[in-house]
Amino acid sequence: MASVNAGKALILGRKENFDAISWIVTKLRKAFKNTIVILALLVLWEFAPRLGLVDATFFPPISEIATAWWQLLLSGDLAEHTTASLSRSLGGFILAILLSIPLGLAIGWWKPVSEYLNPLLELLRNTAALAILPVFILLLGLGETSKVAIVLYACAFPLLLNTISGVKNVEPLLIKSARSMGLSSIQLFRKVIIPAAIPTIFVGIRQAGASSILVLVAAEMVGAKSGLGYLIQYTQFSFQITNMYAGIISISVIGVIINFLLVTLEKRLTGWKQTYSE
């Protein structure tokens, strides 16, 4: 009997080891697929200037840019400019979420609100944020307020439009089923409409997250003494090309991190949603 139990334990142990190895191989294969193109691009970036395919003065090898990035990090300049940009970007982004999502829910669900506000929204959403940047600067000055305001403006419309779309496109059968169960309008809105609209709302949040960085960088190039946009413009004018690329890459990395965090949060909040891969 003891030998039988020992045999079973040995088989279970081998199965667990096989499952662990299989899991590791699957993760490595996925990581390879996700990074192979980026690695190939970095290799091309490194050798193209060295082989004379592009002018190394204006397009230096990635290793030199990495060295410049590390020097900016050690000097504290990169942290200072990144902190300034993130504080402005996150400030406008969070304000946009707090204002636009409730407003979008109201517009999408209550027809009178939609009838009054839709014409104004259609007018404003077709006005580019950077086109009215001078207006923000004239009204709010060159300080932090104008930069947070332009980020708020740029983030508001992706959030609004996706929230409205999420509410209006809720499956009618869900609404009928909820009403047949005797739910009041408020209960229906809270228990059915909002949860069903969350996936679409998160599309708007991710779009707004990208806009918050892109618009802010452009605004910092116009009127700022700190921030990654200012760093890029200053290093361009000073012909510090490697530092300029270091600033650009920093913005790209920040954008990827923000998107990853938002996708992770979306998965946690919409764990009930079935995907095609499932």
Side-chain angles (χ1 to χ4, degrees), residues 101 104-105 156-171 192-208 266-267 269-270 272-273:
I101 291 180
L105 291 172
F157 294 103
L159 287 166
L160 271 173
L161 295 176
N162 281 279
T163 302
I164 294 170
S165 176
V167 173
K168 288 184 177 295
N169 291 320
V170 173
E171 178 62 45
V192 177
I193 301 300
I194 293 178
I198 283 178
T200 308
I201 291 173
F202 259 96
V203 173
I205 291 176
R206 290 171 62 186
Q207 291 176 348
E266 179 185 5
K267 288 179 179 178
L269 294 178
T270 60
W272 48 268
K273 185 178 68 172

Side-chain angles (χ1 to χ4, degrees), residues 52-66:
L53 300 178
V54 294
D55 191 340
T57 303
F58 302 106
F59 200 81
I62 189 65
S63 59
E64 295 182 10
I65 296 171

Side-chain angles (χ1 to χ4, degrees), residues 36-48:
I36 182 61
V37 176
I38 296 176
L39 292 175
L41 175 63
L42 293 178
V43 171
L44 178 63
W45 193 340
E46 176 67 25
F47 287 101

